[in-house]
Structure formats: structure tokens, C-alpha cells
Amino acid sequence: MPRVSADESLGELPPFAELVLELTERIPPGRVLTYGDVAEYLAGEEDQVLPPGAVGRRVGGPRQVGRVMTLYGGSVPWWRVVRADGALLPGHELRALEHYREEGTPLRSVRGRGPARGSAAAEHLPRLDLSRARWDGR
């Protein structure tokens, strides 16, 4: 998925990236959070978890979470941070689906809906059942 892992990056990770990756590592197998869930969770924890000197700075939103996952997510279970529509990550559908099946992540059929926007995947691929798969953060 991502171009580089945290281990391969040059220098230190930005504080927000560290927070996103740490939270991603805490998501249990078989559970997921959306990009927006991650941003909301981190915003709620902002004063408690931001490094010294970073308190009071705005934590990123869903797009910034996605950017972190693109750049640094290779070293964490990236398939557990997902799109809000439950569609499998375009370009990585089969790899993600393999992980979801191994972990028992709840999926749902999408017959007749077609592939997710931006995806060249076959129409028959399932989507995540977010009502059952979403992690509550505890």
C-alpha cells in the first residue's frame, strides 16, 4: 500500500503521523476505523497525546490520515483504516480482502452496486460491514 514504511523513512516522523500509526497498531484484528474515525479519535485525545510543544495545534482530518497511511502505513496493519463507504482500498482490494478474511472482519455483499469509485476491481468483491466491524476505541 504505502510507498515507504516508518522504518524506511528518512528522519523522524511528523507528530501527527506518529499518532495515526500508533492508533492504527491498536486496532484489534477483525476491527476497523475509517479515516474520519481516526481523525476524530485523535482530535478528542489531542491534549493528552500530542508531544510537548504540539498542544493546541490542530490535529489533521480524514484526508491527512489518508496521507499518513499512504506515506508511512506500510509498517502497520494499514487494512484496518478504511473508507467511510466500506469499499476496499482501490489498488489493494485483494491484499486487503485476504487480511479481512484471515482476521474474520465482517464483510457484506454488494451485488449490483458495482465496484467502488476509483476501483478497477470486479463487481463481486464485498465491502466491509462497518456496523459490525467498526472498533469503538476501547
Side-chain angles (χ1 to χ4, degrees):
M1 166 197 179
R3 286 177 252 164
V4 296
S5 71
D7 298 334
E8 296 168 343
S9 65
L10 300 175
E12 287 187 34
L13 290 174
F16 181 68
E18 288 183 31
L19 295 173
V20 169
L21 298 178
E22 288 171 6
L23 179 57
T24 301
E25 289 177 326
R26 292 177 37 210
I27 302 169
R31 296 286 179 238
V32 298
L33 287 177
T34 67
Y35 296 108
D37 291 339
V38 171
E40 185 176 325
Y41 185 94
L42 293 177
E45 301 285 315
E46 182 175 3
D47 293 332
Q48 299 170 28
V49 296
L50 281 177
V55 175
R57 290 181 15 204
R58 184 180 180 281
V59 176
R63 289 179 187 250
Q64 289 76 27
V65 171
R67 184 73 174 149
V68 167
M69 295 304 292
T70 296
L71 294 175
Y72 309 109
S75 63
V76 298
W78 54 266
W79 58 92
R80 295 183 192 152
V81 179
V82 302
R83 294 168 40 149
D85 64 0
L88 305 185
L89 183 65
H92 303 279
E93 298 94 344
L94 297 179
R95 287 179 53 210
L97 186 57
E98 185 177 319
H99 288 293
Y100 298 139
R101 288 184 171 149
E102 285 174 7
E103 295 182 358
T105 307
L107 301 168
R108 61 185 171 85
S109 173
V110 293
R111 284 204 179 120
R113 288 191 64 185
R117 188 179 60 175
S119 174
E123 189 172 311
H124 67 279
L125 287 178
R127 291 188 186 205
L128 293 157
D129 183 346
L130 291 177
S131 66
R132 294 175 32 225
R134 186 175 262 139
W135 182 48
D136 65 6
R138 290 182 269 167

